[in-house]
Amino acid sequence: MDANETADRVLVFDTTLRDGEQAPGASMNFGQKLQVARALASLGVDVMEVGFPVASPGDFQAVETIARQVEGPVICALARAHRPDIDAALKALAPAPRHRVHVFLATSPIHREHKLRMTPAEVVRVATGAIEYARERCQDVEFSAEDAARTELDFLTEVVERAIEAGATTINIPDTVGYAMPAQFGGIIRHLREHVRGIDGVVLSVHCHDDLGMAVANSLSALEAGARQVECTINGIGERAGNCSLEEVVMALRTRHDLFGLRTGVRTQQLCSVSRVVAGATGFHVARNKAVVGQNAFAHESGIHQHGMISHAQTYEVMRPEDVGFKSTNLVLGKHSGRHALTARLRDLGYQLEPEQVDKVFEELKRLADKKKEIYDGDLDALLVHLFQNGTSRRWQLASLNAVSGTGTPPSAAVSLLTRDGRKLDEAATGDGPVDAVFKCIERITGVKARLRDYTVENVTAGEDAQGEVVVVVEHEGRTYRGRGLSTDIVLASAEAYLEVVNRIAAGRLQRKTPPEPEPEVVCGAV
Ligand code: KIV
Ligand code: ZN
C-alpha cells in the first residue's frame, strides 16, 4: 500500500490549470501555466489536472510540457468519452512517469435529454466503452459522472458500478452546477458507499462548484461521508462562481482535525505564495477578506479584537498565520484601534514613551484615522515628530526641478533642495524616465535610499488642467512609508511625494535617536 493511502489520508486533486483556467478571463499563457504547475508541485498536491488536450493545440502543448518537466504529482488530463479525446490526452501525458486520464460523461436527466440526446442505457454504454478503451492504455483512469448531484440516485448508483466494472480506478462525483446542499451531498456519497459493488476498491472523489457558495461545505460533507479525493482550485477559481477552494478545504481539514480526523499532504506554509502566483498569472485578484489567503485574513483593527490578540492570539484567530505563509498577524492601526495596539506597535517600532505621551499619540492617531483609513508606520513616525519635536520643520524642501524626456535623449532631471539651515543642494541624474531621474537626484542629495514598493498617479479633477495625485509607498529598514504629492505636473507631484517620505524617514530616525545618514557637504551635478 502506498504511504499516502491510509484511511485518514485525503488526496488533493488540483484542477486550477483545467477547470480554473476555464473561468472566463482566467486563461494563462504557456509560461504562466508552467509557473503555476511548478508551484502546485512544490505545494504537494497529489494529482494535478493540467488541461484538456483535444481542445486546442495550445492546451495539448501545455499538458505535454508540464508532463515532461514537472515532477512530483500525478499529471492528469481531461477527455470526453470519445476515443480521439482519450488518444490526445494519453499522447500529451505520455512523458509523465505517473499520469491519469480523466474521462467524463453527463448523467443527469437534463444533460441526457438536452445536451447528449441519449437514453440512460446509451449513457452507460458510451461511458463504459470509453473507460475500457482508456484502461487498456493507462493504469490510472478517472471517471466523472458530470452533473452527478442532479442525477437520479438509482441511475447514478448503476453508472458508478458499471464504471468500476469497466476499469475506472477513481470515481468522481461532481456537483457541476453548485446545486447541492451539504447534508444532501454527503448523503449521495454515503449512499454510493453503501450500495455500489466494488466501491471500496476505487478512490471516491468529489468535485464541487460554488454557484450557491457551498463548494467547500459540500466537499467537507462528502469527505465526512467517506470520499477520499477532493477536487479543488487555488483561490477557488473556475467555471462561473468557481470551484472548491483548495486553501479553504485543506485548512478546514487541518484546523478541525479534531472533527474530521483527516489529513492531506499539502505544505500549507506555501498556500499564500501559490495563491499569489495564481492571482498574478490569471489577473484574478484575491479579495481582501478571502478566507485563508486574503490580505485581511489575519488583520485586526477593532480595539477589542486587538486587545484580545495581544493577550492571546487564539482569542480571535483559529489558525496561525505562519501555517499558511503569512509572516504574522497584522494589527492594523485605524480608527477602531485601541490603546493596547498602539502601545504594542510603538514598542515594536522602538519608541519608549511615558503613558501620558502615549495618550497624546492616541488622541492624534484618532484624529488622523478620521481622515485616513490605515495608519502606516511612517505616519506614526511623522506623528511623533510633530508632537514631540515642536517647531521641527521638514529637513529638505524642493527649491527647483527641471526634467527632460523625449526621443533620442535619455530622460534626465536636475533637482535643488533647500535644507533647514538655508543651504541649497543640487544634483542631476539620468534615469529610466523623468520620475526615476528625479528620485535618483533626491536620493543622492539626502543620502536616504528607500525601496519603491508602489507608485500610483490618479486624476483628482477633470479636464486638461487636471490635478494629478501621486502616491508613493516605499520600504526603508523594514518600515513602510507613504507620501503624497499633488500638482498639475505629475513629475513635480512625484518629487513632492518622494520628498515627503524621505523627510519622514529622516524624522523617524531623529525621533528614535538613530544617527541620521550624513548630509553631503558639497554636491556637484553630473548627468
Ligand atoms: O464540473 C464538472 O462536472 C467538471 C467535470 C469535467 C469533472 O468539471
Ligand atoms: Zn468542474
Side-chain angles (χ1 to χ4, degrees):
M1 185 193 268
D2 189 296
N4 289 337
E5 289 174 22
T6 52
D8 67 343
R9 176 68 156 80
V10 172
L11 298 173
V12 173
F13 176 114
D14 179 275
T15 182
T16 305
L17 289 168
R18 198 279 295 168
D19 212 327
E21 214 245 352
Q22 267 172 237
S27 60
M28 298 172 228
N29 66 31
F30 187 69
Q32 289 166 331
K33 284 187 186 174
L34 201 55
Q35 191 193 15
V36 170
R38 292 207 165 104
L40 290 169
S42 160
L43 183 66
V45 303
D46 299 286
V47 186
M48 64 182 162
E49 185 171 49
V50 297
F52 187 11
V54 87
S56 72
D59 246 43
F60 184 95
Q61 199 200 351
V63 173
E64 194 191 35
T65 308
I66 293 168
R68 195 179 302 285
Q69 296 191 12
V70 180
E71 285 172 16
V74 171
I75 310 291
C76 174
L78 188 67
R80 286 168 300 184
H82 289 329
R83 291 184 176 196
D85 284 38
I86 296 167
D87 291 340
L90 288 173
K91 194 166 169 209
L93 288 168
R98 293 193 305 145
H99 59 249
R100 171 182 301 182
V101 60
H102 178 187
V103 177
F104 75 100
L105 185 66
T107 52
S108 67
I110 192 150
H111 279 243
R112 290 192 316 254
E113 283 157 32
H114 298 282
K115 186 180 86 174
L116 301 175
R117 296 184 196 286
M118 283 185 194
T119 62
E122 280 170 323
V123 167
V124 171
R125 185 177 52 74
V126 172
T128 52
I131 294 165
E132 278 163 10
Y133 182 81
R135 192 54 211 279
E136 280 158 18
R137 290 157 181 80
C138 179
Q139 288 296 306
D140 191 346
V141 176
E142 172 165 332
F143 173 71
S144 280
E146 191 190 10
D147 205 15
R150 291 193 298 171
T151 301
E152 310 90 324
L153 208 44
D154 286 348
F155 182 57
L156 184 64
T157 307
E158 180 191 343
V159 172
V160 169
E161 195 165 298
R162 298 290 303 277
I164 295 171
E165 283 165 13
T169 47
T170 296
I171 294 290
N172 184 38
I173 305 300
D175 180 18
T176 301
V177 289
Y179 178 72
M181 290 292 137
Q184 176 214 353
F185 195 63
I188 297 175
I189 300 302
R190 210 165 282 116
H191 178 94
L192 294 175
R193 290 196 64 218
E194 283 164 8
H195 294 91
V196 171
R197 249 178 302 142
I199 196 85
D200 291 335
V202 298
V203 174
L204 188 53
S205 168
V206 286
H207 174 115
C208 297
H209 279 267
D210 207 31
D211 299 66
L212 291 171
M214 297 290 152
V216 173
N218 285 342
S219 304
L220 289 170
S221 173
L223 293 172
E224 238 183 336
R228 284 295 173 268
Q229 174 177 285
V230 64
E231 302 201 353
C232 43
T233 60
I234 298 291
N235 300 336
I237 63 168
E239 287 276 7
R240 305 177 312 280
N243 288 62
C244 170
S245 142
L246 182 149
E247 57 279 8
E248 291 177 24
V249 77
V250 164
M251 286 314 290
L253 291 177
R254 179 177 162 152
T255 308
R256 297 308 313 271
H257 187 267
D258 60 319
L259 195 67
F260 294 104
L262 299 172
R263 65 193 172 88
T264 71
V266 168
R267 297 177 190 102
T268 61
Q269 298 77 3
Q270 295 182 25
L271 285 171
C272 273
S273 59
V274 182
S275 161
R276 274 198 296 273
V277 168
V278 171
T282 56
F284 277 27
H285 294 296
V286 174
R288 278 183 85 118
N289 65 334
K290 164 84 173 63
V292 182
V293 293
Q295 223 183 306
N296 280 5
F298 297 92
H300 308 263
E301 192 188 310
S302 112
I304 295 170
H305 288 208
Q306 290 185 339
H307 184 197
M309 286 296 300
I310 291 163
S311 310
H312 197 299
Q314 280 175 17
T315 50
Y316 287 101
E317 278 178 359
V318 296
M319 297 168 263
R320 294 188 318 161
E322 308 83 84
D323 290 343
V324 302
F326 276 107
K327 273 210 202 101
S328 62
T329 292
N330 175 12
L331 299 184
V332 178
L333 290 179
K335 72 174 174 189
H336 305 295
S337 302
R339 210 175 300 261
H340 291 282
L342 174 66
T343 311
R345 177 64 60 85
L346 288 171
R347 208 180 32 237
D348 290 350
L349 291 175
Y351 294 109
Q352 306 215 339
L353 302 184
E354 299 302 324
E356 55 283 7
Q357 290 180 306
V358 175
D359 289 348
K360 253 183 136 170
V361 179
F362 188 61
E363 252 173 59
E364 280 302 311
L365 175 85
K366 291 279 165 180
R367 249 194 284 277
L368 184 63
D370 273 337
K371 298 186 214 136
K372 203 167 178 291
K373 258 176 96 70
E374 268 180 39
I375 311 291
Y376 291 82
D377 294 345
D379 293 319
L380 271 187
D381 285 336
L383 207 74
L384 274 118
V385 169
H386 168 74
L387 283 176
F388 304 121
Q389 291 202 330
N390 291 339
T392 305
S393 60
R394 301 172 87 200
R395 194 161 170 203
W396 295 284
Q397 287 186 46
L398 191 65
S400 68
L401 179 158
N402 282 294
V404 182
S405 69
T407 50
T409 51
S412 62
V415 172
S416 296
L417 300 185
L418 216 52
T419 63
R420 264 196 308 257
D421 55 10
R423 280 182 307 146
K424 199 156 151 260
L425 304 173
D426 307 314
E427 188 50 275
T430 55
D432 290 338
V435 172
D436 184 46
V438 167
F439 288 0
K440 278 190 180 141
C441 293
I442 294 176
E443 263 179 28
R444 286 181 192 169
I445 295 175
T446 61
V448 175
K449 276 197 170 21
R451 201 159 65 85
L452 190 63
R453 282 233 328 250
D454 199 19
Y455 172 90
T456 51
V457 189
E458 259 178 47
N459 279 358
V460 289
T461 50
E464 279 172 13
D465 60 349
Q467 291 235 86
E469 183 190 53
V470 172
V471 174
V472 295
V473 178
V474 305
E475 210 172 270
H476 182 265
E477 294 176 355
R479 291 171 151 75
T480 303
Y481 298 82
R482 187 171 175 280
R484 186 175 160 271
L486 195 66
S487 169
T488 49
D489 176 336
I490 62 154
V491 179
L492 205 57
S494 305
E496 290 290 6
Y498 200 64
L499 211 47
E500 188 182 329
V501 293
V502 164
N503 272 308
R504 283 185 181 188
I505 290 169
R509 277 195 188 132
L510 272 181
Q511 178 64 23
R512 291 191 304 278
K513 310 223 170 16
T514 47
E517 282 163 27
E519 219 165 67
E521 273 300 308
V522 184
V523 184
C524 43
V527 179

